[in-house]
Amino acid sequence: MTVRVMLVAPALGAAGRAARFGDGLPLTDADLAPVRALAAPRTDRVLSAPSARCGQSAAALGLVPEVEPALADLDPGAWRGRRLDELAASAPQLIGSWLSDPDFAPPGGECVSALLARVGTWLDALPADAGRLLAVAEPAAVRAAVVHALALPPAAFWRLDVAPLTVTVLSGRAARWNLRCGAPLTARQLP
């Protein structure tokens, strides 16, 4: 059987607009307004990353998801709440290492290699009869799923962009995935 995994990126909040590392702030009504205008596709199961913005985005789509920890964001550790431009100015060598070495982790955080393993393990463990699965997932988890599904080198992680309210579709099963590239999440374009 073929599994269809629809990975939906959540709405963008103030932290994302400020390029601030995962501070966990909830989304505002204004952030969620574009989500409420969308329609969710038919699905057999709904999941959400544990973050407030993923749960709120799922709820704004009218969905009641199960929380899936594997879809959580890359843990920034001590960088949580800091802006990327601030860190680039104060610790350019650390940011350079983070963006070029998949095994480098921020102090107390998670490296890209660990994220790839976490998401890849989850993806490969989906049962063959999972059917149509919709997951509101952090953009980093979506990128990790694509890197894993297509057996790309870990360095490709930073070369993929996942825009808010887009859907990335993987179909297949462990060790054999196909990618349908992300498109804006709209009522007309849902798979």
Side-chain angles (χ1 to χ4, degrees), residues 15 30 62-63 163:
L63 304 170

Side-chain angles (χ1 to χ4, degrees), residues 23-126:
D23 57 14
L25 294 175
L27 299 172
T28 66
D29 282 338
D31 298 331
L32 291 168
V35 185
R36 291 187 184 107
L38 305 174
R42 181 184 59 80
T43 184
D44 299 314
R45 187 172 173 206
V46 178
L47 301 174
S48 171
S51 67
R53 73 182 185 152
C54 286
Q56 287 179 287
S57 294
L61 284 168
L63 304 170
V64 180
E66 303 168 47
V67 173
E68 176 50 64
L71 300 175
D73 205 356
L74 183 64
D75 183 353
W79 294 354
R80 185 173 312 282
R82 307 256 330 257
R83 286 194 355 226
L84 180 58
D85 62 349
E86 293 170 352
L87 282 167
S90 65
Q93 70 286 358
L94 292 179
I95 293 295
S97 294
W98 182 61
L99 293 172
S100 63
D101 179 0
D103 294 321
F104 177 86
E110 180 180 32
C111 66
V112 169
S113 294
L115 173 69
L116 293 172
R118 171 170 41 98
V119 174
T121 298
W122 169 78
L123 192 60
D124 287 345
L126 291 173

